[in-house]
Amino acid sequence: MTRLIAAALLAAALAVPAVAAPSRIVILRHGEKADAWKLCATGDQRAAALAAIDLGKGAASSLFANGAPDAIMATTLHTLELVAPAAASWAAPIILWSAVPTPGMDKATFTDAVSARTREAVADLLQNPRWNAKTVVMVWEHDHIASAKLDTANPDTPVTLYRLLGLDAFADVPATWPGENYDYFLDVRIDPATGKPTEVDVIRQDFPAPYGDVPSNEWGKPNGLTAASGCEH
C-alpha cells in the first residue's frame, strides 16, 4: 500500500508542468508590410537596420552583450522576414511557430491560428527545460503582443504575450500595441525559478545612417508613411 501511495504521488508530481523559464525575452513586432505576405521596402530596411544595429552579430548597439541569443522565434511570414537578416548573421536557425495566411483566408481564421501558436510558444518557453535561464528573441504580430481587444474577447484563455507572460503586472507596459508603431522592443527579464517577469523595459528603435529614414515614431504617434511608400498604413 505504501508503495502504491508513493507511486501515485510521484505520478501526480510528474503531471504538473515544471517551470523552466528563460531569464530574458526580447519581444518586437514585424516590420512595415506591403500586404498579407511580404514586407514593404521600409520593412526590409528595418530588418537590415535591426541586424546591423541591435540584433545581429557585431551589431553596433547590440542588445546581447554576451554573444548570440539562445533562440530566435517567429510566427508569421512578416515576422520571419524581419528577423531573417539578424538570424543569418549568427548562422542561427529561426524557430517558427507557424501561422501562415492562405489566399481567401478570413481575418478571424488567421487571428485564431496566431492565437493558437502564441499559446503553444509560451507554454513551451515556460515548461521546456531547454529554455531554462536562456535569452530568447520573439518577433511577433503586434495584436498578439498586446491587445486589449483580444484580451477582452478571450477572458479565460489568454492569447497575447501581454497576458501569457504576465506583462499586465507592469503599469508602464501598454495593454495595446498601436498599429502604426513598428519601432519598439519589450525587453523582459524573468525569474527562471517562477516563470514570472521581474522587469520590463520599453525601448524605442532609433537607427543612424544609412537607416535614418526608417520610422522611429513615439508610442501611439503616426509613423509618417503614406500610400506612396508602398506600405500598408
Side-chain angles (χ1 to χ4, degrees), residues 171-185:
D172 56 343
V173 177
T176 294
W177 191 295
E180 291 204 45
N181 282 110
Y182 294 85
D183 56 326
Y184 278 81
F185 301 106

Side-chain angles (χ1 to χ4, degrees), residues 29-197:
R29 183 186 180 182
H30 62 72
E32 293 85 345
K33 57 189 184 293
D35 53 35
W37 295 278
K38 64 181 182 295
L39 300 182
C40 61
T42 300
D44 289 336
Q45 272 208 312
R46 185 177 299 281
L50 286 166
I53 306 302
D54 296 306
L55 300 179
K57 185 176 182 179
S61 300
S62 179
L63 295 181
F64 312 112
N66 299 319
D70 297 291
I72 297 172
M73 297 183 177
T75 183
T76 60
L77 295 174
H78 294 139
T79 63
L80 180 64
E81 191 174 356
L82 180 83
V83 80
S89 75
W90 294 109
I94 298 171
I95 297 173
L96 184 62
W97 296 90
S98 179
V100 177
T102 57
M105 179 183 287
D106 60 63
K107 184 176 180 180
T109 301
F110 180 65
T111 296
D112 287 346
V114 182
S115 294
R117 300 294 86 75
T118 302
R119 289 194 300 269
E120 291 164 3
V122 173
D124 186 63
L125 281 171
L126 299 182
Q127 296 173 20
N128 191 331
R130 74 181 291 195
W131 306 126
N132 190 48
K134 302 297 187 181
T135 294
V136 176
V137 175
M138 296 185 77
V139 190
W140 232 249
E141 294 289 319
H142 76 292
D143 55 357
H144 283 82
I145 298 175
S147 169
K149 182 178 179 179
L150 275 182
D151 288 338
T152 298
N154 298 275
D156 301 321
T157 307
V159 297
T160 63
L161 300 182
Y162 180 74
R163 286 184 63 203
L164 288 163
L165 292 174
L167 306 186
D168 50 349
F170 297 83
D172 56 343
V173 177
T176 294
W177 191 295
E180 291 204 45
N181 282 110
Y182 294 85
D183 56 326
Y184 278 81
F185 301 106
L186 299 181
D187 193 350
V188 183
R189 308 301 174 120
I190 294 174
D191 179 358
T194 64
K196 302 296 184 183

